[in-house]
Each structure stands twice: as structure tokens, then as C-alpha cells.
Amino acid sequence: QVALTGTSTANATADASGNFSFPGLANGTYTLTPSKTSVTFSPANRQVTVSGGNVLGVSFTASSSQGGGGAPTTYAISGQI
């Protein structure tokens, strides 16, 4: 899940490849916050500003210690607003 707060609020579910989007947003400042049980995201959130165009490449790195042997498993999430 990715939560959008700011000028508008919304939630999106990333697909199997980690892609997400929030279409039709007005100009403004937004905060994106990813979440998933047993996963830590870096950074915890990102602030983006929409100003007359699309914002691309808003990425997060996700880590989970549920991998074998206790070693963290790392994932990437990228998106589009």
C-alpha cells in the first residue's frame, strides 16, 4: 500500500513489480508513505510537489527480515504521481 496525503488524500496498491500511480492530481505538495506488514521502508516517506506536470521516479527501498537465515531481503518500489 502507498498512502498519499496533502492537497488530496488517496491510497494505491502497488502491483507485483512495485509500480503505483495516483492519476489526476491537482498542483500541490503531497507526502507518499508506503506500508506493508513486516517490511521497513527507506525513506519512511517522501514529499513531492506537483507543479504543472507528472512527477516520476518516486522510489523507496523495502527490507524484510523474513528471508532465510535472518538476512534481510531487500526490494525496491518505484512509482508515478
Side-chain angles (χ1 to χ4, degrees), residues 44-56:
N45 59 57
R46 286 197 181 273
Q47 190 173 63
V48 295
T49 300
V50 175
S51 181
N54 294 332
V55 178
L56 305 174

Side-chain angles (χ1 to χ4, degrees), residues 1-6 20 22 29-36 39-49 57-62 77 81:
Q1 282 289 99
V2 182
L4 173 88
T5 57
F20 62 91
F22 292 96
T29 300
Y30 299 91
T31 300
L32 296 170
T33 306
S35 64
K36 182 173 173 136
V39 174
T40 302
F41 291 91
S42 178
N45 59 57
R46 286 197 181 273
Q47 190 173 63
V48 295
T49 300
V58 180
S59 300
F60 298 90
T61 300
I77 295 177
I81 296 180

Side-chain angles (χ1 to χ4, degrees), residues 7-27:
T7 304
S8 297
T9 59
N11 289 296
T13 300
D15 67 16
S17 298
N19 300 307
F20 62 91
S21 72
F22 292 96
L25 295 176
N27 288 340

